Amino acid sequence: MSRIPVTQAPSLLPVLYPAASAPVGRGGNTYIYEAIHTARGAAVSTSTQEVHLYEHFGVQPVRTIKYHSDRVTQIRVREESLMSSSRDGQIAIWDLRQASSAPSLVFKSDDAILSFDLSADSSVLVGGTQLNSDYAAKIQFWDPRAAGGPVKVFEDSHSDDVTQIHCNPNAPKQFLSGSTDGLLCTFDLAQPDEDDALQFVANTGASVSQCGYFGPDAQFVYVQSDMETLQLWTTEATQLADFGDVRELGQGDVTIDYIVKCKYDPGSQRLYMIAGNNGGEVHLLHVGVESMEYIQKLALGNAGIVRGFDWDLSDGWAVAGCEGGKLAWWSKLEQMASSIVTPTSAGPRRPGPNSRRFTPY
């Protein structure tokens, strides 16, 4: 495979400046697994099976939720609801307007749940499970209005852990799944059974670690692998691009050791790759079909591998969480850099006009 060209495009995003940072949890043994933005700030899941809620640029959590008895595998926020899945076989939903620590709804499975999503019209909850002792990897469905067990199960589409579930943001009956078996599947729930619902299958050739829709009509899919590769596909299983091992894209003083995630910005209709290195740096790149554009570097210091990253481009801020237990914020407002807060307590711690858009054809 020939080397993918990487050009410089610093004007694609506003420059982000350090705004605040803080350790999460007690002591130095807390890992951050995921960090996502919310309407009020951010939600962070940790190795202590807790989810911490922060206000913008907060260094102390305004709320901590602990319910699950095993690792929290994914968190999502939909309006005023926080949702979490776990290896304990549960998906829990909290109404953030209520002060209660107990979830308002709990959905159960006999298997560890690795991934989930709620359909665009909130009519169905979809979850992907770990391969169980009967060698079954399932996609399960729940009625979001009624707690309890699944109302439908697909168990023939994948042969290994279902690591990713994403519901189509524009089509409530459609969703995609990704698995350790290397398959990317798209489904249409307007069809009653699994064989008919399965629309397209793409063999990516590597274990799928993350995937997701992008494009103005959610007509494309990005796929990341455990081998740090990145591919672009259509929802009809036509491959658009194969970037290979992104660690080979580093050049000059830019070193890439892993992909954190990809993010699609509907406003600019651009797909971005967030990559990191073992030196505590995060790199932001714009992803095209035949090339990438390097935008900027965010430094975290000696904080470990970045596991969670999210941003709100309209408001101009970003948040990241690291294996070393550090939470970091950035803002487009340079003056915030002069008032960085970094607690050390071991207690609870709280486009440019000429830039190219994604054009696959």
Side-chain angles (χ1 to χ4, degrees):
M1 179 181 296
S2 60
R3 184 179 177 87
I4 301 297
V6 179
T7 58
Q8 300 291 317
S11 63
L12 281 187
L13 292 173
V15 175
L16 295 174
Y17 301 93
S21 63
V24 172
R26 298 178 182 272
N29 299 319
T30 300
Y31 279 32
I32 295 176
Y33 288 135
E34 192 172 7
I36 62 173
H37 90 273
T38 69
R40 295 182 176 88
V44 176
S45 64
T46 71
S47 56
T48 57
Q49 288 82 59
E50 294 174 315
V51 179
H52 301 284
L53 301 178
Y54 291 82
E55 293 181 340
H56 291 107
F57 312 113
V59 295
Q60 299 281 355
V62 295
R63 185 173 177 182
T64 295
I65 293 172
K66 185 165 186 178
Y67 170 77
H68 294 290
S69 60
D70 205 335
R71 175 172 172 171
V72 176
T73 55
Q74 188 170 16
I75 53 176
R76 290 184 182 272
V77 170
R78 177 74 65 87
E79 297 176 349
E80 294 293 339
S81 295
L82 170 70
M83 303 175 282
S84 63
S85 61
S86 170
R87 290 182 181 271
D88 65 12
Q90 299 182 87
I91 298 174
I93 299 180
W94 286 265
D95 184 343
L96 296 180
R97 296 167 296 186
Q98 306 297 322
S100 173
S101 60
S104 54
L105 288 168
V106 176
F107 306 91
K108 296 182 179 293
S109 170
D110 292 331
D111 302 300
I113 300 173
L114 304 181
S115 54
F116 76 97
D117 201 2
L118 182 66
S119 64
D121 62 356
S122 300
S123 65
V124 61
L125 182 66
V126 187
T129 73
Q130 185 176 26
L131 186 71
N132 62 23
S133 58
D134 295 324
Y135 301 101
K138 305 172 185 177
I139 300 173
Q140 300 181 322
F141 306 88
W142 295 265
D143 180 348
R145 299 164 297 181
V151 296
K152 181 187 291 189
V153 178
F154 290 172
E155 50 186 307
D156 296 326
S157 299
H158 291 292
S159 60
D160 211 333
D161 297 352
V162 182
T163 56
Q164 291 283 283
I165 294 289
H166 290 277
C167 293
N168 190 312
N170 298 331
K173 296 293 185 182
Q174 297 178 13
F175 74 95
L176 66 87
S177 62
S179 169
T180 305
D181 62 14
L183 300 184
L184 181 76
C185 300
T186 56
F187 296 87
D188 184 354
L189 291 179
Q191 306 301 320
D193 58 57
E194 184 171 2
D195 288 341
D196 292 334
L198 180 59
Q199 301 294 292
F200 298 96
V201 179
N203 188 346
T204 68
S207 173
V208 176
S209 60
Q210 295 190 59
C211 63
Y213 289 102
F214 72 102
D217 299 311
Q219 70 271 48
F220 309 119
V221 179
Y222 65 84
V223 186
Q224 301 167 218
S225 80
D226 291 335
M227 302 300 292
E228 311 304 340
T229 61
L230 177 65
Q231 299 175 357
L232 306 180
W233 295 76
T234 71
T235 54
E236 297 182 348
T238 298
Q239 189 180 83
L240 299 175
D242 184 353
F243 293 99
D245 189 338
V246 302
R247 291 172 291 190
E248 299 177 0
L249 299 179
Q251 54 188 4
D253 62 350
V254 175
T255 302
I256 294 175
D257 293 318
Y258 56 88
I259 308 174
V260 180
K261 69 190 304 182
C262 289
K263 287 283 293 180
Y264 176 67
D265 175 41
S268 62
Q269 297 183 12
R270 295 190 183 101
L271 179 68
Y272 297 95
M273 181 180 75
I274 297 92
N277 64 35
N278 298 329
E281 296 174 334
V282 173
H283 301 289
L284 310 182
L285 298 95
H286 170 234
V287 181
V289 171
E290 299 178 348
S291 66
M292 290 196 188
E293 295 175 303
Y294 185 82
I295 304 170
Q296 64 181 283
K297 173 179 70 179
L298 307 177
L300 288 95
N302 186 21
I305 294 174
V306 176
R307 291 300 184 191
F309 183 93
D310 209 349
W311 60 23
D312 187 326
L313 291 182
S314 60
D315 287 341
W317 61 268
V319 63
C322 310
E323 273 192 357
K326 181 179 181 179
L327 182 71
W329 298 86
W330 292 267
S331 171
K332 67 179 180 181
L333 302 176
E334 185 175 7
Q335 59 266 33
M336 293 196 70
S338 63
S339 58
I340 297 175
V341 181
T342 308
T344 57
S345 168
R349 300 175 289 264
R350 302 228 235 222
N354 299 319
S355 302
R356 298 193 299 275
R357 295 188 177 186
F358 185 89
T359 51
Y361 300 112

